[in-house]
mmCIF file of all heavy atoms in Angstrom:
data_model
loop_
_atom_site.group_PDB
_atom_site.id
_atom_site.type_symbol
_atom_site.label_atom_id
_atom_site.label_comp_id
_atom_site.label_asym_id
_atom_site.label_seq_id
_atom_site.Cartn_x
_atom_site.Cartn_y
_atom_site.Cartn_z
ATOM 1 N N PRO A 785 11.635 -41.674 73.369
ATOM 2 C CA PRO A 785 11.053 -42.372 74.499
ATOM 3 C C PRO A 785 9.903 -41.432 75.083
ATOM 4 O O PRO A 785 9.996 -40.261 75.019
ATOM 5 C CB PRO A 785 12.221 -42.411 75.525
ATOM 6 C CG PRO A 785 13.462 -42.452 74.683
ATOM 7 C CD PRO A 785 13.119 -41.578 73.513
ATOM 8 N N GLU A 786 8.913 -42.161 75.646
ATOM 9 C CA GLU A 786 7.766 -41.366 76.106
ATOM 10 C C GLU A 786 8.071 -40.374 77.166
ATOM 11 O O GLU A 786 7.605 -39.229 77.221
ATOM 12 C CB GLU A 786 6.733 -42.340 76.645
ATOM 13 C CG GLU A 786 5.431 -41.651 77.102
ATOM 14 C CD GLU A 786 4.374 -42.639 77.652
ATOM 15 O OE1 GLU A 786 4.625 -43.854 77.545
ATOM 16 O OE2 GLU A 786 3.296 -42.253 78.082
ATOM 17 N N GLY A 787 9.032 -40.742 78.107
ATOM 18 C CA GLY A 787 9.465 -39.836 79.068
ATOM 19 C C GLY A 787 10.141 -38.591 78.546
ATOM 20 O O GLY A 787 9.826 -37.445 79.083
ATOM 21 N N ALA A 788 10.915 -38.693 77.473
ATOM 22 C CA ALA A 788 11.559 -37.582 76.863
ATOM 23 C C ALA A 788 10.548 -36.653 76.167
ATOM 24 O O ALA A 788 10.648 -35.436 76.263
ATOM 25 C CB ALA A 788 12.578 -38.025 75.853
ATOM 26 N N ARG A 789 9.538 -37.310 75.584
ATOM 27 C CA ARG A 789 8.511 -36.496 74.922
ATOM 28 C C ARG A 789 7.676 -35.627 75.949
ATOM 29 O O ARG A 789 7.354 -34.514 75.740
ATOM 30 C CB ARG A 789 7.596 -37.370 74.059
ATOM 31 C CG ARG A 789 8.246 -37.705 72.787
ATOM 32 C CD ARG A 789 7.306 -38.481 71.751
ATOM 33 N NE ARG A 789 7.135 -39.914 72.141
ATOM 34 C CZ ARG A 789 6.021 -40.499 72.517
ATOM 35 N NH1 ARG A 789 4.913 -39.817 72.614
ATOM 36 N NH2 ARG A 789 6.000 -41.800 72.788
ATOM 37 N N LYS A 790 7.375 -36.344 77.075
ATOM 38 C CA LYS A 790 6.610 -35.652 78.069
ATOM 39 C C LYS A 790 7.382 -34.477 78.668
ATOM 40 O O LYS A 790 6.861 -33.395 78.960
ATOM 41 C CB LYS A 790 6.157 -36.612 79.178
ATOM 42 C CG LYS A 790 5.074 -37.587 78.791
ATOM 43 C CD LYS A 790 4.661 -38.493 79.982
ATOM 44 C CE LYS A 790 3.461 -39.334 79.531
ATOM 45 N NZ LYS A 790 3.014 -40.220 80.682
ATOM 46 N N ALA A 791 8.707 -34.663 78.845
ATOM 47 C CA ALA A 791 9.540 -33.638 79.397
ATOM 48 C C ALA A 791 9.626 -32.430 78.405
ATOM 49 O O ALA A 791 9.553 -31.307 78.859
ATOM 50 C CB ALA A 791 10.954 -34.178 79.668
ATOM 51 N N ILE A 792 9.616 -32.729 77.105
ATOM 52 C CA ILE A 792 9.638 -31.668 76.099
ATOM 53 C C ILE A 792 8.378 -30.922 76.113
ATOM 54 O O ILE A 792 8.291 -29.658 76.093
ATOM 55 C CB ILE A 792 9.949 -32.243 74.752
ATOM 56 C CG1 ILE A 792 11.328 -32.785 74.625
ATOM 57 C CG2 ILE A 792 9.685 -31.211 73.628
ATOM 58 C CD1 ILE A 792 11.629 -33.560 73.382
ATOM 59 N N GLU A 793 7.205 -31.685 76.233
ATOM 60 C CA GLU A 793 5.889 -30.994 76.265
ATOM 61 C C GLU A 793 5.726 -30.176 77.468
ATOM 62 O O GLU A 793 5.117 -29.023 77.399
ATOM 63 C CB GLU A 793 4.787 -32.079 76.204
ATOM 64 C CG GLU A 793 4.750 -32.819 74.886
ATOM 65 C CD GLU A 793 3.926 -34.051 74.948
ATOM 66 O OE1 GLU A 793 3.344 -34.357 76.048
ATOM 67 O OE2 GLU A 793 3.798 -34.783 73.927
ATOM 68 N N GLU A 794 6.222 -30.592 78.670
ATOM 69 C CA GLU A 794 6.145 -29.811 79.903
ATOM 70 C C GLU A 794 6.981 -28.571 79.726
ATOM 71 O O GLU A 794 6.566 -27.450 80.096
ATOM 72 C CB GLU A 794 6.608 -30.612 81.044
ATOM 73 C CG GLU A 794 5.649 -31.648 81.495
ATOM 74 C CD GLU A 794 4.371 -31.128 81.949
ATOM 75 O OE1 GLU A 794 4.366 -30.106 82.583
ATOM 76 O OE2 GLU A 794 3.267 -31.672 81.628
ATOM 77 N N ARG A 795 8.186 -28.644 79.129
ATOM 78 C CA ARG A 795 9.083 -27.519 78.964
ATOM 79 C C ARG A 795 8.326 -26.475 77.979
ATOM 80 O O ARG A 795 8.447 -25.259 78.234
ATOM 81 C CB ARG A 795 10.362 -27.913 78.314
ATOM 82 C CG ARG A 795 11.314 -26.785 78.046
ATOM 83 C CD ARG A 795 12.361 -27.203 76.977
ATOM 84 N NE ARG A 795 11.688 -27.321 75.660
ATOM 85 C CZ ARG A 795 12.250 -27.841 74.619
ATOM 86 N NH1 ARG A 795 13.506 -28.232 74.645
ATOM 87 N NH2 ARG A 795 11.611 -27.919 73.496
ATOM 88 N N ASP A 796 7.758 -26.939 76.939
ATOM 89 C CA ASP A 796 7.059 -26.028 76.015
ATOM 90 C C ASP A 796 5.864 -25.340 76.579
ATOM 91 O O ASP A 796 5.561 -24.252 76.071
ATOM 92 C CB ASP A 796 6.691 -26.777 74.725
ATOM 93 C CG ASP A 796 7.912 -27.242 73.934
ATOM 94 O OD1 ASP A 796 8.973 -26.713 74.180
ATOM 95 O OD2 ASP A 796 7.696 -28.171 73.051
ATOM 96 N N LYS A 797 5.250 -25.920 77.637
ATOM 97 C CA LYS A 797 4.160 -25.255 78.285
ATOM 98 C C LYS A 797 4.561 -24.006 79.028
ATOM 99 O O LYS A 797 3.827 -23.106 79.288
ATOM 100 C CB LYS A 797 3.413 -26.224 79.225
ATOM 101 C CG LYS A 797 2.669 -27.359 78.446
ATOM 102 C CD LYS A 797 2.027 -28.214 79.514
ATOM 103 C CE LYS A 797 1.239 -29.362 78.811
ATOM 104 N NZ LYS A 797 0.591 -30.278 79.827
#
Side-chain angles (χ1 to χ4, degrees):
E786 184 178 357
R789 283 188 279 120
K790 287 184 177 180
I792 293 172
E793 291 167 2
E794 288 298 321
R795 181 202 65 189
D796 291 344
K797 290 179 181 179

